[in-house]
């Protein structure tokens, strides 16, 4: 049982991780500036509205609440936006993270789980992707996460700042037991857009059908957000037990094409998905699939909800309670 600060705990993955931390008996405080998160995703008693750049307020919070470890989600995540305003991504994701790390060092809190991304690999040399593959992000979003991982490596080496970076693949689904799910605005992710198409009748666009994949559409490793959230619980507990710093991919190890996700949505909803075929989206690699064996071996984590139908079904339950009409 530990006292854990979750930054960005009003966001999609942060809010669901907060829920699983509590299920595991931990006591959680959430710090979020609510610029992109949702107040209603956090119990009011544990929410502190703070920006990452407010170093002194973070230091005071960490001390007053006697926080033992931090899970750091607060970041901007839109790849397209990061190519339009890169400075926003470096300011919020890199300088904001550094401010948090400075606050943690001032308060003597030296355990952190960091929300990183498969975007670190850019267009990978080979698939499935292991952690030792070339780091070569192709957009400012991915670069902002890589830069933060680098800072963490140096803090580990010279400040005994123990940290785990989790490189996520495609998080999706929802946690029905907690009433929490994906509510980005604007939404750019495939599955919520497919479900919106079912709800509104406005077609989702399939970005390219001429990729070198079996059905011509891109392949991604779709991981249930609750499996991803549990990986954070394993990681923070590992650090609290004195575990060393490391970097892990978090995915299922299985890829699905855009067409397969659409087929799964049709099976789950019992409705046709209105769709149009569009050109390729800039910067989309044909296939991104995780090799998560390192995480499975080191921390004993397993994805328990890996079937696509399970993921889509939970996302659909959530979407029906938050309709877009
Ligand atoms: N896609 C469509 N139509 C859409 C949206 C997406 O066909 O309207 C396709 C994309 O081309 C891609 C797949 O669906 O092949 C998944 O796209 P998402 O936008 O849902 O996710 P990405 O794989 O592009 O990005 C995700 C995360 C990023 C992270 C990246 C890491 O959202 O934050 O994985 O590889 F950087």
């Amino acid at each position: 049982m530990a006292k854990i600060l979750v930054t960005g705990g009003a966001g999609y993955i942060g809010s669901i991780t907060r829920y699983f931390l509590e299920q595991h008996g931990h006591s959680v405080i959430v710090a979020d500036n609510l610029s992109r998160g949702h107040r209603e995703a956090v119990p009011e008693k544990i929410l502190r509205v703070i920006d990452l750049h407010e170093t002194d307020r973070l230091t005071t919070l960490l001390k007053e609440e006697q926080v033992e470890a931090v899970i750091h989600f607060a970041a901007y995540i839109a790849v397209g936006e990061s190519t339009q305003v890169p400075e926003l991504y470096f300011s919020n994701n890199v300088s904001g993270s550094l401010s948090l790390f400075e606050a943690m060092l001032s308060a003597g809190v030296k355990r952190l789980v960091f929300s990183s991304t498969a975007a670190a690999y850019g267009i990978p040399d080979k698939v499935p992707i292991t952690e030792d593959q070339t780091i070569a992000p192709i957009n400012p979003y991915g670069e902002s996460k890589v830069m933060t991982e680098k800072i963490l490596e140096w803090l580990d080496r010279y400040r005994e700042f123990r940290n785990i970076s989790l490189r996520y693949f495609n998080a999706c689904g929802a946690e029905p037991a907690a009433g929490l799910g994906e509510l980005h605005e604007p939404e750019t992710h495939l599955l919520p857009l497919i479900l919106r198409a079912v709800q509104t009748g406005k077609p989702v666009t399939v970005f390219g059908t001429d990729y070198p994949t079996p059905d011509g559409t891109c392949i991604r490793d779709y991981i249930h957000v609750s499996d991803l959230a549990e990986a954070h619980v394993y990681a923070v507990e590992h650090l609290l037990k004195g575990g060393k710093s490391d970097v892990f991919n978090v995915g299922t190890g299985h890829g699905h094409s855009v067409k397969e996700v659409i087929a799964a949505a049709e099976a789950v909803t019992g409705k046709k998905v209105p769709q149009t075929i569009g050109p390729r989206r800039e910067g989309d690699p044909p296939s991104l699939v995780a090799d998560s064996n390192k995480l499975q071996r080191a921390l004993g984590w397993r994805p328990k909800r890996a079937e696509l139908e399970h993921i889509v079904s939970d996302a659909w339950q959530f979407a029906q309670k938050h309709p877009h009409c």
Side-chain angles (χ1 to χ4, degrees):
M1 243 82 81
K3 189 72 176 273
I4 296 169
L5 176 72
V6 174
T7 74
Y12 172 44
I13 306 170
S15 63
I16 293 173
T17 301
R18 184 271 304 160
Y19 169 77
F20 277 98
L21 285 166
E22 289 173 347
Q23 295 294 303
H24 281 244
H26 299 294
S27 168
V28 183
I29 292 287
V30 164
D32 199 300
N33 69 4
L34 297 179
S35 68
R36 307 229 167 152
H38 303 275
R39 185 180 280 276
E40 57 282 6
V42 189
E44 206 182 321
K45 255 178 41 198
I46 63 166
L47 175 65
R48 306 289 181 272
V49 182
I50 302 185
D51 189 273
L52 286 179
H53 288 102
E54 295 180 277
T55 319
D56 293 344
R57 282 189 70 201
L58 284 170
T59 307
T60 305
L61 177 69
L62 289 160
K63 283 185 184 158
E64 278 179 5
E65 295 288 346
Q66 300 182 327
V67 168
E68 292 158 79
V70 176
I71 306 186
H72 176 35
F73 294 95
Y76 292 149
I77 59 151
V79 171
E81 181 187 52
S82 82
T83 64
Q84 288 148 12
V85 272
E87 65 280 15
L88 189 63
Y89 278 69
F90 296 118
S91 171
N92 194 50
N93 296 7
V94 184
S95 132
S97 293
L98 186 55
S99 162
L100 169 69
F101 305 157
E102 287 180 300
M104 289 175 65
L105 287 163
S106 299
V109 182
K110 292 188 169 192
R111 294 179 179 106
L112 176 111
V113 178
F114 175 56
S115 167
S116 191
T117 176
Y121 301 107
I123 297 166
D125 307 333
K126 60 178 173 57
V127 176
I129 304 169
T130 45
E131 290 82 355
D132 55 4
Q133 279 203 38
T134 312
I135 296 300
I138 55 167
N139 52 60
Y141 164 69
E143 186 72 65
S144 73
K145 293 288 182 175
V146 170
M147 288 166 85
T148 308
E149 282 194 16
K150 279 277 159 209
I151 295 171
L152 288 171
E153 267 181 54
W154 291 111
L155 293 183
D156 174 67
R157 188 145 149 197
Y158 290 117
R159 298 288 259 147
E160 294 85 42
F161 194 87
R162 302 295 172 237
N163 63 84
I164 288 180
S165 291
L166 297 177
R167 293 185 185 145
Y168 312 159
F169 284 65
N170 290 64
C172 51
E175 179 47 53
L180 295 168
E182 194 165 10
L183 280 177
H184 296 122
E185 210 49 69
E187 186 55 79
T188 62
H189 294 115
L190 180 65
L191 181 55
L193 289 176
I194 289 173
L195 298 178
R196 280 188 196 187
V198 170
Q199 288 178 317
T200 62
K202 288 185 205 134
V204 61
T205 304
V206 177
F207 294 148
T209 53
D210 59 350
Y211 282 96
T213 58
D215 67 17
T217 63
C218 284
I219 292 175
R220 293 288 180 274
D221 187 333
Y222 295 94
I223 174 162
H224 195 297
V225 64
S226 302
D227 283 334
L228 182 54
E230 285 185 333
H232 292 78
V233 179
Y234 281 66
V236 81
E237 288 179 349
H238 171 78
L239 291 175
L240 287 163
K241 279 185 267 174
K244 67 178 179 55
S245 297
D246 219 328
V247 177
F248 299 109
N249 288 337
V250 198
T252 65
H254 298 286
H256 294 285
S257 71
V258 173
K259 282 188 182 164
E260 285 173 343
V261 180
I262 291 176
E266 292 185 337
V268 166
T269 63
K271 295 183 180 141
K272 287 301 272 183
V273 173
Q275 58 190 279
T276 54
I277 306 299
R280 291 182 178 198
R281 184 173 66 177
E282 175 72 25
D284 269 344
S287 180
L288 286 175
V289 178
D291 181 330
S292 293
N293 284 310
K294 187 179 167 195
L295 176 62
Q296 304 205 12
R297 272 196 314 271
L299 303 189
W301 170 88
R302 299 271 178 289
K304 296 180 200 147
R305 311 154 179 92
E307 299 79 33
L308 197 51
E309 276 69 23
H310 188 154
I311 295 174
V312 175
S313 165
D314 285 349
W316 180 232
Q317 270 195 54
F318 182 78
Q320 285 174 296
K321 294 199 176 111
H322 299 83
H324 281 82
C325 299

